[in-house]
Amino acid sequence: MLWLMWWASNPAQAQVVADTASAQKVVEYYLGKGNEVYLTKASLKSFEISNAYFDSAYRVALKADDKKLLLRATLAKGQVYDAWNKAPQKTIEYYTEAYRLSKETKVKPYYRLYIKQHIAHAYDKIADTINCTKVLEELLTDASLLDTMLRVKIELMPRMALIATEVGNYALAQKIIDRIGKDTIRIKNSPDTHNYKDHYFLTKARIDTYLFRKQHSVYLDSTWMPVIKKEREAKYF
């Protein structure tokens, strides 16, 4: 803890010696503490506390002028605002900045697309159909360059298709599903990230219902029928 106290009490000297190694140590500390609180999601206060840690990590990375560290801190701030649901424009702002930084640093292509998907989801949460659709279409173009990467098809694309249905663009959702092709059989739920298989089935149920106007669909089972019924009632009553 002594190095952290020194960093806080000697900002001028700290900036001089803010090399990658020391900055990384401080950023790792703040991100670790922030994630520790964030993952509890015990209350709104937990988001506020975790955001304070992430903000400290952001400031240190900014001083160190280290784009990789800044990317991690920026994405963390975007995620906490996303979960917090307090300032949606802040969520979009941080995710957009994280995506810009991802293009300026040597990150894996999948990770870059993963970040951009968060931007689409942030627009979806404020019902901004135009911008959400724009980002999803860009994502689909970008993802086409990684069509051979299975992870894009069985993780990224099911999420993209579901987001498209959230803003009512069922045709785009179908286009994304078509791109997955025969690899749909390999889509599974993940306890550590997202229920990709559930997302896929709900997307297909919505497409059959709202795009193809089917009265009966193999995807409208006991799991998704109540969801679609509730959506229909919200749309038409």
Side-chain angles (χ1 to χ4, degrees):
M1 287 295 294
L2 289 177
W3 52 266
L4 189 61
M5 292 169 62
W6 176 85
W7 187 287
S9 61
N10 299 273
Q13 294 152 296
Q15 188 166 357
V16 174
V17 298
D19 54 39
T20 302
S22 59
Q24 183 172 354
K25 194 173 183 179
V26 180
V27 170
E28 290 284 357
Y29 172 82
Y30 283 131
L31 289 179
K33 294 297 289 185
N35 282 320
E36 191 178 298
V37 178
Y38 169 74
L39 290 173
T40 65
K41 298 182 180 179
S43 65
L44 292 177
K45 187 69 176 176
S46 65
F47 294 130
E48 186 178 334
I49 295 170
S50 61
N51 187 54
Y53 280 118
F54 294 150
D55 197 46
S56 294
Y58 181 88
R59 290 198 303 270
V60 172
L62 201 60
K63 278 185 178 181
D65 194 25
D66 187 308
K67 289 184 178 179
K68 285 187 176 180
L69 293 178
L70 191 58
L71 167 58
R72 293 179 59 196
T74 303
L75 183 60
K77 285 184 66 64
Q79 288 174 327
V80 77
Y81 271 104
D82 193 358
W84 203 351
N85 284 320
K86 182 180 180 180
Q89 290 301 328
K90 282 282 188 183
T91 304
I92 293 169
E93 177 185 324
Y94 282 117
Y95 279 155
T96 302
E97 177 65 7
Y99 178 66
R100 183 188 67 78
L101 287 165
S102 75
K103 292 193 294 183
E104 296 177 3
T105 54
K106 292 181 179 179
V107 300
K108 293 181 179 180
Y110 176 87
Y111 188 53
R112 189 175 298 123
L113 297 183
Y114 167 80
I115 295 171
K116 192 166 186 176
Q117 178 194 261
H118 280 303
I119 302 174
H121 181 49
Y123 279 124
D124 140 42
K125 288 178 73 173
I126 59 171
D128 188 336
T129 303
I130 294 174
N131 280 309
C132 181
T133 297
K134 179 177 178 290
V135 174
L136 285 174
E137 287 176 338
E138 290 173 356
L139 259 174
L140 191 58
T141 300
D142 295 341
S144 67
L145 302 175
L146 299 172
D147 263 356
T148 56
M149 187 182 290
L150 184 62
R151 194 177 180 192
V152 170
K153 290 187 175 183
I154 67 174
E155 293 185 4
L156 197 70
M157 287 186 175
R159 288 278 295 162
M160 289 167 55
L162 181 65
I163 292 169
T165 66
E166 291 288 338
V167 293
N169 197 331
Y170 306 108
L172 177 57
Q174 181 61 53
K175 187 176 179 182
I176 296 169
I177 291 294
D178 288 342
R179 190 68 65 83
I180 299 173
K182 294 180 181 178
D183 287 313
T184 54
I185 196 171
R186 304 179 72 170
I187 298 172
K188 302 183 184 301
N189 289 335
S190 170
D192 299 320
T193 51
H194 297 289
N195 290 336
Y196 303 106
K197 189 173 183 178
D198 287 350
H199 294 164
Y200 173 76
F201 284 135
L202 177 55
T203 298
K204 288 292 289 181
R206 284 173 171 170
I207 288 171
D208 279 356
T209 303
Y210 304 121
L211 181 64
F212 298 127
R213 304 291 179 181
K214 292 182 179 180
Q215 294 301 313
H216 303 285
S217 168
V218 294
Y219 298 100
L220 287 173
D221 57 13
S222 58
T223 301
W224 302 120
M225 180 63 83
V227 177
I228 299 298
K229 183 179 179 182
K230 187 175 181 180
E231 289 178 351
R232 279 174 166 169
E233 290 172 351
K235 285 174 182 287
Y236 302 116
F237 296 99

